[in-house]
Amino acid sequence: EDKVVQSPLSLVVHEGDTVTLNCSYEVTNFRSLLWYKQEKKAPTFLFMLTSSGIEKKSGRLSSILDKKELFSILNITATQTGDSAIYLCAPSGGETSGSRLTFGEGTQLTVNP
Amino acid sequence: GAVVSQHPSRVICKSGTSVKIECRSLDFQATTMFWYRQFPKKSLMLMATSNEGSKATYEQGVEKDKFLINHASLTLSTLTVTSAHPEDSSFYICSARRTLNTEAFFGQGTRLTVV
């Protein structure tokens, strides 16, 4: 059975802090790992990682994948109150076509002013 | 990013009736669409994976006769909640991917309330 574990489940920081969010996974026929940010309704896409060791960056956010150790991290530097959200990771894989996209429980990040 | 439109955004129905939710990819062709259910303060629970032209693959514990999924074209998938009960009240959200090697884009979700 596929597993996705995110940690911490909840995190409260002050503006300007740097945070690291973790995602470990066990997925059959792993293809890629996706990170999303969910504020109110629909999750918005952040990163898709397919190769180990290659960091992807977008502004203050960055992410990297380790396919050997089966985990990924999402870093946010100089956090702002607008970063408050649930961050979700989703490995893509699955027994049949490899198209299954399952989500972890998410990390609830709260950034206080 | 690409646009996925989900309709309706909110629906209230009586117990025993059926409700259809549509998910459309507006500016791309989606080979795969996903249907999720989300409980308050919980993550997205995958209900089924739908590939165009073939039957949906349901997750363990999801009743395929209750949650009917049709992926009739590369731009449209529908979820029909049949004989709805109050316990089916939830937030349902779809997503769509062009291919297995691209990101998935989400619809805005449907808040279903069964009274």
Side-chain angles (χ1 to χ4, degrees):
Chain A
E1 186 180 323
D2 294 348
K3 289 181 184 176
V4 186
V5 178
Q6 288 188 247
S7 63
L9 292 179
S10 179
L11 189 56
V12 180
V13 300
H14 291 289
E15 269 193 315
D17 289 348
T18 293
V19 298
T20 298
L21 310 182
N22 304 292
C23 175
S24 65
Y25 62 90
E26 290 179 35
V27 171
T28 309
N29 292 337
F30 175 84
R31 298 186 70 94
S32 59
L33 187 138
L34 291 80
W35 282 96
Y36 287 84
K37 176 182 181 182
Q38 187 177 26
E39 293 176 87
K40 290 188 177 177
K41 289 193 174 180
T44 53
F45 172 75
L46 296 175
F47 298 109
M48 184 170 77
L49 306 160
T50 54
S51 301
S52 278
I54 299 174
E55 185 183 51
K56 292 214 171 180
K57 292 194 76 171
S58 176
R60 295 176 294 103
L61 277 65
S62 65
S63 185
I64 197 161
L65 174 69
D66 185 329
K67 289 166 73 173
K68 184 179 176 185
E69 299 297 328
L70 307 182
F71 80 90
S72 175
I73 59 172
L74 175 68
N75 282 317
I76 308 175
T77 59
T79 52
Q80 301 171 356
T81 54
D83 295 328
S84 297
I86 298 174
Y87 290 85
L88 299 161
C89 78
S92 178
E95 288 185 356
T96 50
S97 64
S99 62
R100 196 162 168 265
L101 190 63
T102 50
F103 283 83
E105 285 192 60
T107 294
Q108 173 74 62
L109 174 65
T110 303
V111 182
N112 291 322
Chain B
V3 178
V4 175
S5 173
Q6 189 172 337
H7 177 81
S9 58
R10 186 180 292 269
V11 59
I12 301 172
C13 69
K14 290 185 177 180
S15 268
T17 61
S18 295
V19 174
K20 181 185 280 189
I21 303 169
E22 288 189 351
C23 180
R24 292 181 185 271
S25 56
L26 296 185
D27 53 358
F28 68 100
Q29 293 186 323
T31 56
T32 307
M33 287 186 169
F34 306 90
W35 287 95
Y36 296 88
R37 183 172 178 175
Q38 189 170 33
F39 294 98
K41 298 189 178 181
K42 294 287 185 183
S43 186
L44 300 164
M45 183 191 80
L46 180 64
M47 298 175 68
T49 302
S50 169
N51 292 295
E52 187 267 339
S54 61
K55 290 184 179 179
T57 302
Y58 288 79
E59 294 298 303
Q60 198 171 16
V62 177
E63 299 176 58
K64 57 182 70 176
D65 294 332
K66 180 164 184 65
F67 298 100
L68 299 178
I69 291 171
N70 187 295
H71 192 163
S73 74
L74 285 171
T75 58
L76 174 65
S77 178
T78 59
L79 167 68
T80 302
V81 183
T82 62
S83 187
H85 290 285
E87 55 265 31
D88 298 326
S89 298
S90 193
F91 188 65
Y92 293 88
I93 192 164
C94 71
S95 72
R97 296 177 92 170
R98 281 190 186 89
T99 70
L100 296 182
N101 299 314
T102 58
E103 64 267 43
F105 296 97
F106 282 83
Q108 289 300 303
T110 297
R111 172 71 58 194
L112 170 64
T113 303
V114 184
V115 297

